[in-house]
């Protein structure tokens, strides 16, 4: 980015440290604008949708699993992480842009005896399916906000890490080590057979144990982290070095 001025994300559904403002997407990633002023104009012309809603705030925070749509250019992206923990705009088709996955952070009963599920992107879903529990992932229809499928947090599920050192890695949940009063630890094995561990709250289920593949398509690399030697060999083969 040029200059010392960086846009601060507005208060919104994602934490400040876990989101990216819409103007960064437009200016730095998609190159649709050259300046912040142009980003503002694009947003004020109601060109940008996040999760099916037009967002006119150019600093609106878009976060993990959000669907960003620009109808004028027929662009649809899902915000995911690469294996280095950076946000990546993963291009998706129309069918996939109709839903998103939300991790249930907690479920509680309100003062009026209404059960409510709170998701990682700040949604409160009233009267959730009684089968849904904290740490599970639900499939949410972007247009209505209603939940449909439940991906249970269980051994054998396909998971993606949304925080920590292994952010963006995808694998199969192998083992859960419970530590009451402290952080529970999960062991995950990726498609190459590498096993790594992380805290339970960093784990985001993207495919059920019974399904062969995850519900959402994955960005380039399929969430498999390469060693620096593998990266170098690949760059040499491609002629980048």
């Amino acid at each position: 980015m040029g200059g010392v001025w960086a846009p601060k994300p507005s208060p919104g559904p994602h934490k400040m440290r876990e989101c990216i403002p819409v103007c960064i997407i437009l200016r730095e990633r998609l190159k649709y604008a050259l300046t912040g002023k142009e980003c503002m104009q694009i947003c004020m012309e109601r060109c940008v949708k996040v999760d099916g809603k037009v967002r006119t705030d150019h600093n609106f925070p878009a976060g993990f699993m959000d669907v960003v749509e620009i109808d004028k250019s027929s662009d649809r992206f899902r915000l995911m992480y690469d294996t280095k923990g950076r946000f990546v705009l993963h291009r998706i088709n129309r069918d996939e842009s109709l839903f998103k996955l939300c991790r249930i952070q907690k479920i509680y009963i309100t003062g009026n005896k209404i059960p409510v599920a709170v998701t990682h992107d700040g949604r409160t879903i009233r009267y959730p399916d009684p089968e849904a529990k904290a740490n599970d992932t639900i499939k949410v229809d972007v247009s209505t906000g209603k939940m449909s499928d439940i991906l249970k947090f269980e051994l054998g599920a396909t998971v993606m890490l949304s925080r920590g050192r292994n952010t963006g890695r995808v694998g199969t949940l192998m083992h859960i080590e419970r530590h009451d009063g402290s952080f529970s630890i999960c062991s995950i094995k990726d498609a190459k057979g590498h096993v790594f561990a992380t805290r339970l709250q960093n784990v985001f289920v993207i495919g059920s144990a019974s399904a062969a593949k995850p519900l959402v398509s994955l960005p380039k690399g399929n969430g498999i982290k390469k060693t620096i030697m593998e990266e170098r060999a690949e760059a040499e083969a491609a002629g980048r070095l």
Side-chain angles (χ1 to χ4, degrees):
M1 285 174 58
V4 293
W5 305 106
K8 179 178 191 272
S10 302
H14 294 276
K15 290 184 179 177
M16 189 177 107
R17 297 276 172 191
E18 293 171 14
C19 69
I20 184 169
V22 166
C23 62
I24 292 286
I25 293 173
L26 292 172
R27 186 176 62 184
E28 312 296 329
R29 300 291 169 92
L30 298 177
K31 305 283 193 280
Y32 283 160
L34 292 173
T35 60
K37 180 81 174 168
E38 287 177 12
C39 296
M40 204 184 295
Q41 286 169 328
I42 292 170
C43 289
M44 292 309 285
E45 284 173 12
R46 304 177 73 80
C47 295
V48 182
K49 283 183 185 173
V50 179
D51 286 345
K53 281 195 177 141
V54 172
R55 297 294 179 185
T56 54
D57 177 11
H58 61 290
N59 286 333
F60 183 82
F64 182 53
M65 281 290 167
D66 283 1
V67 177
V68 180
E69 292 177 84
I70 302 169
D71 288 338
K72 274 193 174 173
S73 55
S74 304
D75 282 333
R76 293 180 193 87
F77 303 99
R78 192 185 298 284
L79 263 180
M80 309 276 276
Y81 290 112
D82 66 4
T83 50
K84 288 187 162 60
R86 302 173 296 203
F87 273 118
V88 60
L89 284 168
H90 174 55
R91 197 177 286 276
I92 54 176
N93 58 27
R94 186 182 170 78
D95 295 339
E96 206 183 314
S97 69
L98 299 175
F99 71 90
K100 68 178 294 193
L101 299 183
C102 296
R103 183 182 195 271
I104 296 178
Q105 303 292 58
K106 61 178 177 181
I107 288 183
Y108 66 97
I109 309 277
T110 64
N112 295 332
K113 302 286 185 287
I114 296 171
V116 166
V118 179
T119 64
H120 81 285
D121 60 347
R123 291 168 192 261
T124 50
I125 296 174
R126 292 162 55 126
Y127 302 110
D129 190 310
E131 290 292 305
K133 300 280 183 279
N135 305 324
D136 290 350
T137 296
I138 53 174
K139 184 178 173 181
V140 173
D141 189 307
V142 163
S143 56
T144 61
K146 298 270 195 298
M147 60 178 280
S148 51
D149 296 358
I150 303 173
L151 302 174
K152 296 299 288 178
F153 182 79
E154 60 190 359
L155 298 183
T158 306
V159 299
M160 187 175 202
L161 301 197
S162 57
R163 289 207 290 250
R165 255 195 72 182
N166 292 308
T167 302
R169 292 181 78 173
V170 174
T172 306
L173 188 59
M174 303 301 287
H175 180 64
I176 304 165
E177 204 175 294
R178 302 275 177 194
H179 297 288
D180 293 332
S182 183
F183 300 105
S184 297
I185 302 294
C186 296
S187 297
I188 292 139
K189 187 180 194 177
D190 70 9
K192 286 270 181 77
H194 304 303
V195 178
F196 50 97
T198 189
R199 289 179 179 178
L200 183 141
Q201 55 266 50
N202 301 345
V203 177
F204 194 112
V205 181
I206 56 171
S208 63
S210 54
K213 59 184 193 58
L215 270 184
V216 292
S217 57
L218 297 174
K220 197 172 101 178
N222 288 334
I224 295 166
K225 191 168 190 168
K226 297 187 180 78
T227 62
I228 49 175
M229 297 307 291
E230 286 171 337
E231 280 179 3
R232 181 184 165 80
E234 206 172 84
E236 277 179 344
R240 292 197 298 272
L241 287 181

